[in-house]
Amino acid sequence: MSLRKTFLYLFCSLLLCCEHLSAQNLIDNPSFENDLASWDTGFWGGADLTYTATEASASEGSKSLEVVVNMSTPSEPFKGYVRKTQLGVEEGKSYILSFDVKSNSGNAEQVGVTLYSHPEIGGATWGVAWNNDLIGFQGDEQWFSFSDTITPQMLQGTPDYNSMVLMFGFAEKVGTYQIDNIRFEPLGGSGSLPSKVYYVAKDGDDSNDGSAEQPFLTIQKAADVAEKGDTVFIGAGTYRETITPLKTGTINQPILYQAMEGAEVIVSGMEPLNGWTRDQGNIYKLQVPFNLGDDNMVLYDDRLCDLARYPNNIDGNPFTVDGNSNSGGSLSHMTGNFPNYQWQEGGFVWYLGNSRWTSWRERITAASQGRIEFIGPSGWEGDAHNPANGGLYVLYNVKEALDYEYEFYFQRAIQTLFLQTPGGVQPEDGQVRMKKRTKGFNLANKSYIVLDGIDHFGCNIEIIGAARGNIVRNLKVTWGSHGFGVGEAAFTNTQSINLRGTNNRVERCEIAWGAHTGVHVAGDGNTIEDCIIHDFNYVGSYSAPILMRAGKNSTVHQSTIYNGGRDLIQSVNQNSVISYNDMHHSNLINDDCGPFYTCCGEHYSEIHHNFVHDCESPGTHYKATGIYLDNSSKYWSVHHNVITNMEWTGIQMNWDDWYIDIYNNSIWNVSESMGTWLPNGTRLQDVEVFNNLSNEGTWKGTDIDKNLSVTESPFMDRENNDFRLKAGSSAIDYGKTVDGIELDFTGSAPDAGAFESGLDPWIPGATWTTNPFFTDVDEPFSTSDQLNIFPNPSSGIFQIDTEELETSELFIFDYSGKQVHYQAQLAPKESVNVQKLGSGIYFIYLKSNNKLRVGKLMKL
């Protein structure tokens, strides 16, 4: 079920040309000095753009191209084009593509770039040789410089390499853009190194030369010799190693580590265990020569085992606390009805106070009948979660507590692992695995390295220090974050991907399952895009699937995030954007939190076009709020979000929340649309609330206007998450415009709510879903190719661009993952009729030619 990028690098058994080339730009008039001569511009599919060579702004020379998008196509972006035709390139040869682009929108922007041929534009055949529709930049009126090394390959169709078209696509959003200084030249200009290709395989040997015929055995060996511009192809298998590249790439010559086409490559921190003997009863034992202390992790088959504990984890779900209530205590001791074990011999307490904002974990220093002693946390964690006020506890890590199936205990003195097995059956060799390594790829202080399709299991990816320009894409990280964080209280420092440094990206990845954080976003200009991130923070701390702290200019875009012990996205980073995400099921352990949480300071950030839904706190607790601006949050723009099925408020503001714009949100099925807590003379200041829509009309702010409260649903199909407005709804044209805020609308005034009638609806969440197909090792399927579905949105009949494919199998899944349509044979250009399906978002899968392609459809 791993994701694979379908770059067909079959040519790479040969080294690239070793002679130094004179860098020569294949594009004439790259800076538009001769106006638009030799450039082709236009638009289609509902977009509307104008193009002007202007002297008003240029990054190089005296002119740039100004692109004004008057009408956008957000569901089918890049329908406006600037292109250069009749470019001759060589298949398998590397080229440097670079350009400068900027916007004044103040938002996160994108430009799509494609290298293709077409019979109508001088080519002999249709085909795509390179594509990147995820080139993101911030619309801050500053020039953004893009540079990458590309290798034309047969990605779709049959490219005519003698007559290529290089196209820049716009029209995802209305706005004004400039593009300039476009260069497309052969790799290997003055001072560059010849690129090499290395291979790694499980039947290789590190004494080999790394060729296709003589591959290396370990990835680390390849990482020791790879230079800038080199490529490392990795064959199928599990690689139990930590990889630290010796060299770094450059912006024009990155180092690529990529899984071979169709290969499942796993870097693992887990070690299989062999040779178990019985200890007593249902408990088996084994000497293990490694130990990670409180971070030890044991898997029986693929089930996570519990560290020996009281009370037991009966249901096996890490998000259900299964704790007991204490009978009294303080921040130095606790009383309760627990077994009189030797808890002081390495044991610790996990405690969740009645406030439930966070848990804390502390080492037990003394124990007696019904009493344990410890040194509890100081500060607000201890003040709000004192055992004197009651709460839940779990006691861990003494052998006497090893009394339930799937529990383990590691005795350090004799380096022995004890495990109680289900039914007392002796484990087979390799059936049990224990974590040995915490890191997979370690890119600390490394730059311009690309990891593509290399899954990680039981270990994390480190991108920290001076790391710059690294890309992690098309891979899965599972169980990369584990442990208890004993003594760390609210804030732990364990994550599956540590994304720091500058301008690094995580794109189209699945990051799943961990005790702490999924991705920690710090540093400057780092981005998460088109990812699926879920099931994190079952320790119940201030961790989250996405934790944004100690950073700035961060972006989380078009991703699906769900199942968090506390929040789903927690951000205190400055100048950051959270947009077009699907967020659901937070508060699985903690209370007084929500899918999005921020607090404490000036952030100058934006959260917009997100679908926030279906959250409640456990038991009798109820403070699950959609967007939480806690404890004096300042300078936030919150707009065009759909917030629904929240147990508490839709938007919550506490203390001195100042300089906040809250507009055009749809808030439905909540206890209150908005809530505030303003103790001790705190106040709201400059909080503008307008154009919001709800069935519960509690509005909070200092300037409240044009917010609509209705009793009947104004939406087309709320049950199926279609929050577009019905024709004739009172919300249409109900709103107002505000100076300094750009609103894209039709009619006489903006509509109330998150969707504007007459405009294409926005679609939240990742553009793909996890592979629902289980396939044989001999028949792997790739899910990285994107389907071109048109029209999209569709009222019920659509087509898929399948010119290059043979007859295909078609599968359609609804948003919950249920298969709702199947077609055994779909011919190229054949129409698909799904008029019987309800409105909403669907995932389209096309299975053909040993490939699995995926797309996302909005059914109207």
Side-chain angles (χ1 to χ4, degrees):
M1 300 207 299
S2 300
L3 306 173
R4 299 290 172 256
K5 199 76 171 176
T6 55
F7 294 115
L8 305 183
Y9 286 103
L10 302 181
F11 71 95
C12 286
S13 58
L14 300 175
L15 299 180
L16 296 180
C17 180
C18 293
E19 66 184 19
H20 289 250
L21 301 174
S22 299
Q24 180 181 1
N25 195 2
L26 301 183
I27 297 177
D28 60 315
N29 190 23
S31 295
F32 307 96
E33 304 306 299
N34 300 324
D35 293 325
L36 297 182
S38 78
W39 287 98
D40 185 15
T41 61
F43 54 88
W44 78 96
D48 181 65
L49 297 89
T50 58
Y51 303 90
T52 308
T54 176
E55 297 181 356
S57 176
S59 68
E60 192 274 337
S62 61
K63 290 185 179 181
S64 68
L65 174 62
E66 181 177 81
V67 182
V68 179
V69 181
N70 302 302
M71 183 177 295
S72 66
T73 56
S75 61
E76 290 187 278
F78 316 130
K79 295 302 185 184
Y81 58 83
V82 178
R83 61 193 183 193
K84 180 74 68 169
T85 62
Q86 297 296 308
L87 299 175
V89 303
E90 296 181 35
E91 180 184 11
K93 185 175 182 178
S94 294
Y95 294 80
I96 296 175
L97 170 66
S98 61
F99 60 90
D100 298 336
V101 63
K102 78 172 182 175
S103 167
N104 62 359
S105 70
N107 302 318
E109 302 291 351
Q110 285 189 156
V111 58
V113 184
T114 305
L115 186 66
Y116 70 104
S117 63
H118 199 286
E120 296 180 4
I121 323 177
T125 56
W126 175 86
V128 177
W130 185 82
N131 181 67
N132 188 343
D133 57 5
L134 296 174
I135 299 175
F137 63 99
Q138 190 67 25
D140 56 4
E141 300 189 70
Q142 301 297 315
W143 285 103
F144 168 78
S145 296
F146 172 86
S147 181
D148 199 2
T149 301
I150 70 174
T151 306
Q153 307 295 323
M154 185 179 68
L155 297 185
Q156 297 182 49
T158 306
D160 177 1
Y161 297 99
N162 294 317
S163 300
M164 301 303 294
V165 179
L166 182 64
M167 183 176 76
F168 298 84
F170 295 88
E172 180 191 29
K173 300 177 183 177
V174 169
T176 300
Y177 305 83
Q178 275 83 36
I179 188 166
D180 200 5
N181 196 25
I182 302 172
R183 300 194 65 82
F184 184 50
E185 57 195 19
L187 180 66
S190 177
S192 67
L193 294 175
S195 299
K196 296 182 179 180
V197 178
Y198 297 101
Y199 290 83
V200 178
K202 293 303 294 182
D203 59 355
D205 192 301
D206 282 350
S207 64
N208 289 341
D209 62 9
S211 65
E213 296 77 17
Q214 292 188 311
F216 296 134
L217 174 62
T218 67
I219 304 173
Q220 182 60 57
K221 175 62 179 179
D224 289 340
V225 298
E227 303 269 357
K228 60 183 180 180
D230 290 348
T231 297
V232 177
F233 287 110
I234 305 167
T238 299
Y239 296 82
R240 305 186 191 281
E241 51 179 307
T242 293
I243 302 102
T244 304
L246 182 64
K247 300 292 181 64
T248 192
T250 68
I251 190 170
N252 295 326
Q253 294 181 289
I255 302 174
L256 171 63
Y257 295 83
Q258 180 164 339
M260 293 290 289
E261 176 68 17
E264 183 176 40
V265 175
I266 301 173
V267 173
S268 179
M270 308 298 293
E271 203 72 19
L273 303 179
N274 305 322
W276 293 89
T277 60
R278 188 183 297 275
D279 179 55
Q280 59 179 351
N282 291 343
I283 299 174
Y284 289 84
K285 63 182 179 181
L286 178 68
Q287 280 201 313
V288 179
F290 53 86
N291 171 31
L292 296 178
D294 295 328
D295 293 339
N296 279 334
M297 184 173 80
V298 175
L299 295 176
Y300 186 99
D301 291 328
D302 283 326
R303 171 166 173 165
L304 179 69
C305 295
D306 289 301
L307 181 60
R309 54 176 280 173
Y310 174 84
N312 294 319
N313 180 13
I314 302 299
D315 61 7
N317 184 346
F319 288 107
T320 54
V321 172
D322 295 320
N324 280 357
S325 299
N326 63 295
S327 56
S330 67
L331 282 176
S332 62
H333 81 284
M334 187 186 73
T335 58
N337 185 22
F338 41 80
N340 189 24
Y341 296 157
Q342 299 299 306
W343 296 108
Q344 73 276 12
E345 300 295 330
F348 61 89
V349 57
W350 177 95
Y351 197 81
L352 185 66
N354 276 338
S355 293
R356 297 182 76 103
W357 307 339
T358 185
S359 71
W360 50 262
R361 289 85 42 214
E362 296 291 351
R363 196 76 62 192
I364 297 171
T365 57
S368 58
Q369 181 67 54
R371 179 185 174 96
I372 59 171
E373 297 180 11
F374 44 79
I375 301 175
S378 59
W380 62 269
E381 295 108 324
D383 294 341
H385 304 90
N386 193 319
N389 301 319
L392 297 176
Y393 70 86
V394 180
L395 306 181
Y396 286 97
N397 201 36
V398 296
K399 189 181 180 186
E400 297 158 288
L402 184 56
D403 59 359
Y404 196 72
E405 62 183 16
Y406 298 107
E407 285 188 349
F408 75 91
Y409 171 75
F410 189 85
Q411 191 169 344
R412 301 184 187 186
I414 57 175
Q415 289 288 100
T416 299
L417 177 66
F418 297 87
L419 175 67
Q420 179 158 160
T421 64
V425 177
Q426 180 171 334
E428 299 176 3
D429 285 352
Q431 188 174 18
V432 179
R433 289 167 290 168
M434 183 172 173
K435 187 169 184 173
K436 184 178 182 178
R437 293 163 291 277
T438 59
K439 293 182 178 62
F441 262 88
N442 180 10
L443 303 185
N445 300 312
K446 297 298 188 296
S447 296
Y448 303 107
I449 289 175
V450 179
L451 307 183
D452 196 330
I454 304 170
D455 293 347
H456 282 57
F457 189 96
C459 54
N460 74 349
I461 298 174
E462 288 276 305
I463 307 174
I464 61 174
R468 174 184 291 271
N470 299 289
I471 300 175
V472 176
R473 65 191 182 201
N474 304 312
L475 57 81
K476 183 174 182 177
V477 182
T478 310
W479 298 115
S481 156
H482 188 75
F484 285 93
V486 177
E488 292 183 291
F491 299 101
T492 62
N493 188 27
T494 304
Q495 50 274 314
S496 290
I497 298 181
N498 205 355
L499 187 63
R500 300 173 186 253
T502 305
N503 293 336
N504 302 292
R505 293 178 61 88
V506 176
E507 57 190 34
R508 210 162 189 277
C509 294
E510 181 181 5
I511 303 106
W513 290 102
H516 302 285
T517 288
V519 185
H520 188 153
V521 187
D524 187 359
N526 295 313
T527 297
I528 298 172
E529 185 153 13
D530 205 12
C531 289
I532 300 174
I533 306 175
H534 60 93
D535 291 282
F536 280 97
N537 190 26
Y538 48 81
V539 79
S541 70
Y542 264 60
S543 298
I546 298 177
L547 181 66
M548 303 167 68
R549 286 183 172 270
K552 59 182 179 179
N553 302 313
S554 310
T555 300
V556 180
H557 180 69
Q558 204 77 61
S559 294
T560 300
I561 309 105
Y562 61 93
N563 290 357
R566 189 186 141 86
D567 315 302
L568 298 177
I569 298 177
Q570 183 183 134
S571 176
V572 296
N573 287 357
Q574 290 189 332
N575 299 104
S576 298
V577 178
I578 296 93
S579 59
Y580 294 92
N581 301 294
D582 179 359
M583 300 184 279
H584 59 91
H585 292 94
S586 64
N587 295 60
L588 296 184
I589 293 175
N590 302 103
D591 190 39
D592 200 9
C593 44
F596 178 80
Y597 178 88
T598 186
C599 90
C600 318
E602 299 178 354
H603 299 115
Y604 303 96
S605 294
E606 186 175 9
I607 175 168
H608 67 89
H609 293 91
N610 299 281
F611 182 30
V612 183
H613 59 104
D614 295 289
C615 300
E616 62 181 27
S617 293
T620 59
H621 298 271
Y622 67 94
K623 289 186 177 181
T625 188
I627 295 176
Y628 204 151
L629 309 176
D630 198 9
N631 293 3
S632 303
S633 298
K634 296 178 174 65
Y635 295 102
W636 275 96
S637 179
V638 181
H639 64 93
H640 293 92
N641 302 284
V642 173
I643 306 168
T644 184
N645 299 338
M646 305 305 302
E647 194 174 28
W648 192 29
T649 53
I651 299 173
Q652 181 71 25
M653 295 182 290
N654 292 348
W655 296 13
D656 289 315
D657 277 16
W658 299 352
Y659 314 121
I660 296 173
D661 295 326
I662 299 174
Y663 60 95
N664 282 100
N665 300 285
S666 295
I667 305 173
W668 201 263
N669 193 26
V670 298
S671 65
E672 292 182 314
S673 299
M674 298 179 66
T676 57
W677 181 48
L678 307 174
N680 304 322
T682 57
R683 73 189 192 282
L684 302 181
Q685 179 175 313
D686 290 320
V687 177
E688 294 191 337
V689 180
F690 59 93
N691 296 0
N692 299 288
L693 172 63
S694 179
N695 64 331
E696 198 294 320
T698 303
W699 309 109
K700 303 285 186 176
T702 58
D703 185 358
I704 301 172
D705 193 20
K706 287 295 183 177
N707 301 288
L708 179 62
S709 301
V710 295
T711 56
E712 298 293 328
S713 171
F715 308 116
M716 287 193 176
D717 191 353
R718 184 179 70 85
E719 297 301 321
N720 288 301
N721 298 323
D722 186 349
F723 287 87
R724 292 173 301 136
L725 296 174
K726 296 176 183 176
S729 167
S730 59
I732 295 175
D733 295 346
Y734 180 85
K736 68 173 186 177
T737 58
V738 175
D739 290 343
I741 295 178
E742 294 186 11
L743 285 175
D744 191 11
F745 65 93
T746 62
S748 60
D751 298 345
F755 287 94
E756 176 74 20
S757 58
L759 298 181
D760 287 340
W762 50 273
I763 302 176
T767 63
W768 56 283
T769 186
T770 51
N771 189 342
F773 301 96
F774 294 88
T775 58
D776 297 329
V777 175
D778 296 333
E779 192 184 20
F781 283 85
S782 166
T783 59
S784 61
D785 275 6
Q786 292 295 114
L787 291 176
N788 182 18
I789 300 169
F790 59 93
N792 192 6
S794 168
S795 61
I797 298 177
F798 65 89
Q799 288 185 335
I800 301 173
D801 188 353
T802 57
E803 286 185 6
E804 81 285 7
L805 295 178
E806 299 174 358
T807 300
S808 307
E809 281 186 277
L810 175 73
F811 302 81
I812 301 181
F813 294 82
D814 67 13
Y815 214 68
S816 69
K818 177 183 176 182
Q819 183 174 318
V820 294
H821 181 86
Y822 171 72
Q823 193 167 331
Q825 292 184 329
L826 180 71
K829 296 187 177 179
E830 179 182 353
S831 295
V832 181
N833 189 332
V834 290
Q835 289 178 321
K836 293 183 179 180
L837 296 180
S839 63
I841 298 172
Y842 294 89
F843 292 99
I844 314 297
Y845 282 90
L846 205 63
K847 194 175 179 183
S848 176
N849 295 343
N850 213 34
K851 294 283 193 303
L852 188 64
R853 300 167 183 250
V854 62
K856 207 170 185 179
L857 170 73
M858 167 68 84
K859 167 68 167 57
L860 302 178

